[in-house]
Amino acid sequence: MRTARRSESLDARTARRSESLDPRTRQAWLGVDLGTQSVRAVLVDADGAVLGSAAERLTSTRWPDGRHEQDPEHWWQAVAATTRHALAAAGDVEVAALACCATSGTIALVRETPDDPAQPVTPGLMYDDGRAVEQARRVADDPAPAWRAAGLTPQRSWALPKALWLLRGGDPGPGVRLAHQADVVTSRLIGRPAPTDTSHALKSGADLVEGGWPTADLARLGLDPRLLPPLVRPGTVLGEVSPAAAEQTGLAVGVPVVAGMTDGCAAQIASGVLRPGQWSFVVGTTTVLKGVSDTLLADPSGALYSHRAPDGRWWPGGASSAGAGVLSQEFDGADFAALERHAANREPAASVTYPLAGVGERFPFLRSDATGVSWGNDRDPTDRFAAVLQGVAFVERLCLDHLRGLGATVDGPVTISGGATRSPYWTQLQADILGRPVAVPQVAEGAVGMAVLAAAGTGGDPGEQLTAMAERMLGPVRVVEPRPGAHERFDAAYADLVRGLAELGWIDAALAGTALAGAA
């Protein structure tokens, strides 16, 4: 009951604050993106203009055995610094609300003290930290029925096995709780322990169908439910900026803090992919697929999993380890422009490649021992470069074929964002190989997506407002049409890739059949 009264009071205060704003003052929404290498903050107005932005680097510690840590204290320091700098760049602006996104599956244990609602007691275990081998095996052997119902197959790098690893010594002591990367920041912003959103909590074992924690199953695995934060829907107002946070960040006391989503979902919002049947790829070092579905897609392989959107729909997707990482490993970036010009004459290339820079693949198939593999012989470095560019687009095509095999509708245009869109040729190549128009958003940053969600969360029901706010705040997209006949030119090479993956046993007969039928 206490929580319900506080929520009603907060909603009323937020409404009164919005009504009291001077209409001549520029209003903006603040989006904060806690990434792996940096924190970025942007201030976006109602028409989508970026009024101010800033970034602050983060440092990581990695070990050869797969451990990857950051200092949670640095997260907060970087957020405070970027917010101050973004506000300074924007000048005279009134922040109407803010929201934060963070890397998916990054966690720490924190303690509530009289002076700090989220005092770190462990390092932050990052999204790709792979130390929890034994704990992941335990979770896999005894999964919660709720995860099966939501089509979730927890993996070693997910937050739940890592939380069990952090708790392997027993009771961590009074006042300690599990915090996701974004929770550390939002707790300090509002001056008390913040609830967590179901998006950041997905990899910690949240029940996305019912919207709660499967407490009995988690307790059986060794995670005391008393350590878990309350769950809320993304877009929910968590509280207001406290005096202490205002002093450090430069924000005004009382600015509403809205529950965010993971960085991948934030980029999806910024891409405007919010209606059923829409799909997007974020192509950088790796390749991330996101989309929208009215119904939950069941994937027996466990490669696909779905977030729950603010409007209750499902956002299915997956992250492939294939991407531009191979280019960084094998080629000098100064040569890319010349290589692209020559690669345009190698369609298709003499070889076909599945471009993994490291070990392991997560989507469109799960294979922890997968490595980069090629079929055929490269004639020269240009051929290899062309094969990698084409290979990333083949992976995207295989992702869509995987979705088609699950019953999803994937025949419309797709949105592509990320570093790969800086290359006009590579963008055109993706449209050709996918055989459909490709839309390129103006700015598909996670921080911009969080600014949009902050506006939706304080403009009424976030589920109803999100699409409308995105349509207003996001600029028009650039559309790249496939060249006539180009799609068919790559069919044989794509079929070679599919058959090669099937012979390795990395994809099953069902996915191979769906993919080959489309390439016939």
Side-chain angles (χ1 to χ4, degrees), residues 267 271 280-289 320 322-325 327 355 388-389 391-393 395-396 414-423 426-427 430 434 438 444:
S271 296
S280 70
F281 289 103
V282 181
V283 186
T285 303
T286 60
T287 302
V288 178
L289 169 71
S320 171
L327 297 178
V388 172
L389 296 187
V392 173
V395 172
E396 294 171 3
V414 299
T415 298
I416 294 181
S417 60
T421 59
R422 290 194 292 267
S423 165
W426 201 2
T427 304
Q430 291 172 84
L434 295 177
V438 164

Side-chain angles (χ1 to χ4, degrees), residues 123-152:
L125 304 193
M126 296 300 291
Y127 69 99
D128 58 349
D129 186 288
R131 72 185 69 189
V133 178
E134 177 187 340
Q135 291 77 15
R137 188 178 301 116
R138 196 160 80 229
V139 172
D141 291 342
D142 192 14
W147 305 333
R148 293 196 191 97
L152 300 178

Side-chain angles (χ1 to χ4, degrees), residues 375-462:
W375 297 267
N377 297 308
D378 300 315
R379 292 171 287 179
D380 52 33
T382 296
D383 233 16
R384 173 61 179 167
F385 189 85
V388 172
L389 296 187
Q390 294 165 27
V392 173
F394 287 153
V395 172
E396 294 171 3
R397 184 168 170 178
L398 188 62
C399 289
L400 294 178
D401 281 335
H402 182 70
L403 288 165
R404 183 179 291 108
L406 298 177
T409 300
V410 294
D411 296 327
V414 299
T415 298
I416 294 181
S417 60
T421 59
R422 290 194 292 267
S423 165
Y425 172 69
W426 201 2
T427 304
Q428 180 65 67
L429 188 65
Q430 291 172 84
D432 294 343
I433 290 176
L434 295 177
R436 67 193 68 207
V438 164
V440 181
Q442 288 186 4
V443 182
E445 295 181 7
V448 171
M450 286 299 92
V452 174
L453 184 58
T458 50
D461 184 284

Side-chain angles (χ1 to χ4, degrees), residues 34 36 68-69 75 101-109 123-132 155-164 166 178-183 196-205 261-264 305 307 362:
L34 287 89
T36 306
H68 181 194
E69 297 179 356
W75 299 339
C101 68
T103 52
S104 178
T106 297
I107 58 164
L109 295 181
L125 304 193
M126 296 300 291
Y127 69 99
D128 58 349
D129 186 288
R131 72 185 69 189
Q155 301 167 27
R156 187 172 73 184
S157 62
W158 282 27
L160 176 57
K162 289 184 292 196
L164 297 175
L166 288 172
L178 176 69
H180 305 89
Q181 188 177 23
D183 302 340
T196 193
D197 62 88
T198 54
S199 179
H200 283 105
L202 180 150
K203 293 183 179 179
S204 296
M261 302 187 77
T262 62
D263 53 358
Y305 60 89
H307 285 263
R362 301 165 289 169

Side-chain angles (χ1 to χ4, degrees), residues 159-381:
L160 176 57
K162 289 184 292 196
L164 297 175
W165 187 92
L166 288 172
L167 295 166
R168 68 197 185 285
D171 187 354
V176 173
R177 70 182 188 281
L178 176 69
H180 305 89
Q181 188 177 23
D183 302 340
V184 174
V185 171
T186 54
S187 295
R188 287 191 171 178
L189 282 169
I190 68 176
R192 64 176 186 274
T196 193
D197 62 88
T198 54
S199 179
H200 283 105
L202 180 150
K203 293 183 179 179
S204 296
D207 177 356
L208 298 191
V209 175
E210 298 297 330
W213 294 105
T215 53
D217 298 295
L218 293 173
R220 187 177 64 252
L221 289 167
L223 181 54
D224 188 337
R226 291 175 297 180
L227 302 177
L228 299 170
L231 286 173
V232 297
R233 181 174 61 168
T236 301
V237 177
L238 300 173
E240 300 171 337
V241 171
S242 70
E247 184 177 350
Q248 296 180 68
T249 63
L251 292 162
V253 174
V255 172
V257 178
V258 173
M261 302 187 77
T262 62
D263 53 358
C265 292
Q268 177 178 346
I269 295 172
S271 296
V273 177
L274 300 170
R275 298 185 183 278
Q278 292 183 312
W279 300 93
S280 70
F281 289 103
V282 181
V283 186
T285 303
T286 60
T287 302
V288 178
L289 169 71
K290 292 286 186 180
V292 184
S293 175
D294 281 324
T295 59
L296 178 62
L297 295 176
D299 181 4
S301 77
L304 182 84
Y305 60 89
S306 299
H307 285 263
R308 201 74 186 263
D311 62 4
R313 288 192 173 103
W314 295 95
W315 287 1
S320 171
S321 298
V326 173
L327 297 178
S328 301
Q329 284 184 349
E330 299 185 15
F331 297 94
D332 185 340
D335 299 333
F336 280 11
L339 286 166
E340 281 188 354
R341 287 196 300 272
H342 296 303
N345 297 317
R346 310 289 178 89
E347 296 183 354
S351 69
V352 177
T353 189
Y354 198 95
L356 292 175
V359 179
E361 178 59 305
R362 301 165 289 169
F363 188 77
F365 56 87
L366 274 174
R367 188 81 188 196
S368 61
D369 61 344
T371 57
V373 60
S374 297
W375 297 267
N377 297 308
D378 300 315
R379 292 171 287 179
D380 52 33

